[in-house]
Amino acid sequence: MNCCVRNCSAILLLILGMVTTINCSSHVNCQESRGNAISNRQDELHCCNETFNSFSKNWHNEADYLTETLQSLKDWSCPQYNAECSKPTFNFNDFTALVYHRSCNRTLFESRCLDSLMRASSARGVSGSIWSNLLRDLRTFQLSQDELRDPCIQVALYDAAVQERGKYGYYHEMKRVFIPFCKFIWCGLDAENIHDHSISAWLCIPTFCRTNIIISIVVCSILSIWNVVANSIVLVVFFKQKRYTSSAGIYKLSIALADIMVG
Ligand SMILES: *[C@@H]1O[C@H](CO)[C@@H](O)[C@H](O)[C@H]1NC(C)=O
Ligand SMILES: *[C@@H]1O[C@H](CO)[C@@H](O)[C@H](O)[C@H]1NC(C)=O
């Protein structure tokens, strides 16, 4: 609805003594305003609400990123940002915890992750313990799969991407929320590493969870093979004894056939 119409209706309502505020926020495009402060505080607060509510609804979707959402809330000095920092809603694993730390308490993040970065550097003969240098070097390394699996490296790559390239669009999160026997799978990498390693969400699956997935696949396969074998035996016996003329026989036949198909 356009602002004038809103104002008019607001004034009408005001006359009726029902409403006292005028809200013209709907013309800001919150998506396009990401990364910058919005001059009108009312609009900014509107975008805070819109961004936070949308993420709350869609956080499990592949395309909705915690990194970018926190960044927007921080850029706009949102009340939701302070609330998230003191009580993180979307913190499910080591990766998300570090994403929160990076945004809310950089000292804590850097102290947690300095070791990982120093290890990656010293493995390549570079010594040093200054975060910004380690970060710069990290981007030049051909990182191994094991290093990429480290949540500290993952969030440091976000830090590096933000500092070098800008806040949005150079970093991607991958999630699988509803995999049985696994906790939340949630990780992220910069666009270059994703491209260079052709990485999928499998990289972010913790070892215990991979084991669980493999065990369930094996168990299901064994059950399935056993099912097919057992029911095939039933079928063989059935045809040898020529019992398919009675209705009970046909009933058993159809059960065996259905079982094989399920198997
Ligand atoms: C944002 O949401 C809060 C509560 O959810 C509400 O009180 C406030 O008026 C909203 N602000 C804007 C600008 O929409
Ligand atoms: C950040 O983390 C450090 C280390 O745990 C802690 O001492 C400090 O109080 C935290 N700062 C804030 C603002 O929470």
Side-chain angles (χ1 to χ4, degrees):
M1 218 196 305
N2 111 8
C3 192
C4 178
V5 175
R6 275 195 174 207
N7 282 349
C8 292
S9 50
I11 288 166
L12 276 177
L13 289 171
L14 195 64
I15 292 166
L16 292 171
M18 290 169 72
V19 145
T20 51
T21 52
I22 297 171
N23 184 357
C24 303
S25 307
S26 59
H27 64 269
V28 239
N29 184 332
C30 300
Q31 191 72 17
E32 283 173 9
S33 309
R34 295 187 314 175
N36 301 306
I38 300 170
S39 53
N40 180 329
R41 183 58 180 160
Q42 207 55 37
D43 289 348
E44 204 166 50
L45 286 174
H46 159 78
C47 285
C48 288
N49 279 13
E50 188 179 296
T51 303
F52 185 75
N53 294 342
S54 150
F55 190 72
S56 300
K57 219 181 295 161
N58 302 315
W59 62 271
H60 45 81
N61 287 349
E62 195 76 357
D64 288 84
Y65 298 162
L66 179 63
T67 47
E68 296 191 346
T69 301
L70 280 179
Q71 187 68 54
S72 294
L73 297 179
K74 188 175 189 173
D75 287 341
W76 296 329
S77 313
C78 296
Q80 290 91 340
Y81 173 71
N82 299 329
E84 279 301 299
C85 283
S86 57
K87 202 164 176 292
T89 318
F90 308 100
N91 180 18
F92 300 114
N93 64 8
D94 293 345
F95 170 76
T96 54
L98 290 171
V99 171
Y100 273 102
H101 290 336
R102 179 192 165 273
S103 185
C104 301
N105 187 342
R106 172 163 276 284
T107 319
L108 181 56
F109 166 58
E110 291 187 9
S111 71
R112 288 265 166 95
C113 289
L114 192 65
D115 273 355
S116 287
L117 264 64
M118 284 171 64
R119 222 176 304 132
S121 282
S122 66
R124 289 157 180 90
V126 186
S127 67
S129 60
I130 296 170
W131 183 266
S132 57
N133 296 346
L134 292 168
L135 213 53
R136 186 199 57 215
D137 292 344
L138 188 68
R139 296 268 289 161
T140 66
F141 296 153
Q142 187 71 26
L143 294 165
S144 71
Q145 295 270 326
D146 275 344
E147 285 168 331
L148 290 173
R149 222 171 266 144
D150 178 349
C152 269
I153 300 280
Q154 293 171 6
V155 181
L157 285 169
Y158 175 60
D159 210 29
V162 167
Q163 291 185 9
E164 274 180 37
R165 313 283 300 274
K167 289 171 181 171
Y168 299 96
Y170 304 109
Y171 191 82
H172 302 284
E173 290 173 26
M174 290 164 278
K175 333 168 195 164
R176 294 288 182 278
V177 177
F178 303 112
I179 294 189
F181 313 115
C182 293
K183 288 192 203 144
F184 287 92
I185 295 163
W186 196 331
C187 73
L189 286 175
D190 61 318
E192 282 82 2
N193 274 299
I194 291 181
H195 180 259
D196 292 350
H197 294 260
S198 49
I199 275 161
S200 72
W202 185 249
L203 176 94
C204 329
I205 301 181
T207 318
F208 74 91
C209 171
R210 287 178 196 220
T211 318
N212 286 347
I213 292 177
I214 292 168
I215 290 175
S216 19
I217 290 173
V218 169
V219 168
C220 287
S221 311
I222 292 174
L223 285 178
S224 162
I225 290 167
W226 169 245
N227 189 18
V228 170
V229 169
N231 283 296
S232 303
I233 293 172
V234 170
L235 285 189
V236 168
V237 169
F238 186 87
F239 282 112
K240 280 209 167 150
Q241 298 187 348
K242 298 205 166 56
R243 283 166 63 184
Y244 41 81
T245 47
S246 73
S247 63
I250 288 174
Y251 177 64
K252 283 180 197 155
L253 172 68
S254 62
I255 288 182
L257 278 174
D259 269 0
I260 287 181
M261 282 177 200
V262 171

